Amino acid sequence: MSDYAAPILYAVVIWWFLTGAILWLNHRPRRTHAWSFGATTLALVGALWVIAWSASQESEAGAYAAFTAALIVWGWQEMAFYMGYLAGPRRTPGSATDRGLARFGAAAATNLWHEAAIILGFVAIAWATAGSPNRMALWTYLVLWGMNLSARLNLFLGVRNLNAEFLPEHLRYLGSFFRRAPMNALFPVAMILATGFLLVLLHPAVTESASAFKRSGHTMMATLMALAILEHGFLMLPLPSAALWGWGLPARRPGADAAP
């Protein structure tokens, strides 16, 4: 078990820290965002270089480097969205009269550029790792993208806990596209699929012939998937998930997470 403890702990700590750091930076005064985003963009360039370098490194160090770099690339995507640099053409609340496809189209327009940037990020990582033995960065990025998309779709369809306090002031209009509901049809399907993918990610790490590269890399990715599943659970369970990152959030205002 000691061979798995280090990658599990690393994945948990870096997930917790980076999430909190991004929340803290996003909720800082708007005048600080340009500096924060500029520094993160430099980190993005470095992370892409690390991904290209680590693609040929089929070693434990290569797995850690690829995993960390993919998280930094994803962190840049999240900051670009939540700071408003790459959101979407629509920046106004949804209409109470919108239903069905009209409501979905309006919601999609709020993050269209964000989705385009995510696709470009995927293409860049896929190109940098094509034909290489270490594609941990690509799989890590896909885990983050898939579970992020699932979370946003579930918020759109309806969940118990909206977690609207995660939204910075300039993106409060996004809360108008969230819906409070005890359950939705997508949620159990998403949880089943995510659990299945978790097992797929974990399997190469627990075989007797697993190398240090596969054991560490796949353990970190499986841990990340497990954390994403846990975050999905927070959407439905009556648990104070925001408490995990209280240091990264401003003081909570009454009614901040009220359903629109």
Side-chain angles (χ1 to χ4, degrees):
M1 287 299 294
S2 59
D3 291 335
Y4 300 99
I8 290 173
L9 181 61
Y10 182 78
V12 171
V13 170
I14 195 170
W15 163 81
W16 173 81
F17 174 76
L18 287 180
T19 301
I22 290 170
L23 285 171
W24 184 78
L25 290 171
N26 288 338
H27 284 89
R28 298 288 293 163
R30 290 289 281 168
R31 66 180 182 274
T32 68
H33 286 186
W35 290 100
S36 299
F37 189 63
T40 307
T41 300
L42 291 177
L44 168 69
V45 173
L48 290 173
W49 181 88
V50 170
I51 289 172
W53 167 83
S54 65
S56 61
Q57 307 299 312
E58 199 172 5
S59 63
E60 189 171 14
Y64 275 92
F67 179 79
T68 305
L71 287 176
I72 292 172
V73 174
W74 185 258
W76 182 90
Q77 299 283 9
E78 292 293 277
M79 286 187 65
F81 176 65
Y82 285 107
M83 287 186 173
Y85 293 113
L86 285 173
R90 180 180 181 125
R91 303 201 176 203
T92 56
S95 170
T97 61
D98 284 345
R99 296 289 185 274
L101 288 177
R103 179 171 174 262
F104 180 81
T110 64
N111 55 37
L112 195 59
W113 312 146
H114 177 52
E115 287 299 327
I118 290 175
I119 293 171
L120 288 176
F122 166 76
V123 171
I125 296 174
W127 177 79
T129 60
S132 301
N134 182 357
R135 306 197 83 187
M136 296 292 181
L138 182 64
W139 286 108
T140 300
Y141 190 85
L142 285 173
V143 167
L144 292 163
W145 184 8
M147 295 305 284
N148 176 267
L149 180 60
S150 173
R152 285 190 282 122
L153 287 173
N154 274 286
L155 281 165
F156 175 80
L157 294 172
V159 296
R160 290 180 183 272
N161 303 312
L162 302 179
N163 293 329
E165 64 268 34
F166 286 179
L167 295 173
E169 189 65 36
H170 56 276
L171 291 183
R172 290 289 175 183
Y173 63 88
L174 293 176
S176 65
F177 297 99
F178 299 170
R179 176 177 290 169
R180 194 182 297 280
M183 182 55 65
N184 67 72
L186 175 63
F187 186 81
V189 176
M191 293 294 274
I192 292 171
L193 291 176
T195 302
F197 193 52
L198 166 62
L199 297 176
V200 170
L201 289 171
L202 186 60
H203 180 261
V206 297
T207 58
E208 291 185 4
S209 59
S211 62
F213 166 70
K214 286 191 174 181
R215 185 171 56 247
S216 58
H218 281 268
T219 298
M220 286 187 290
M221 290 191 296
T223 302
L224 186 64
M225 176 59 81
L227 292 168
I229 292 172
L230 178 64
E231 286 188 289
H232 270 56
F234 286 150
L235 295 175
M236 290 297 184
L237 298 174
L239 297 172
S241 59
L244 287 171
W245 298 285
W247 59 275
L249 291 169
R252 190 172 180 179
R253 299 175 307 168
D257 62 346

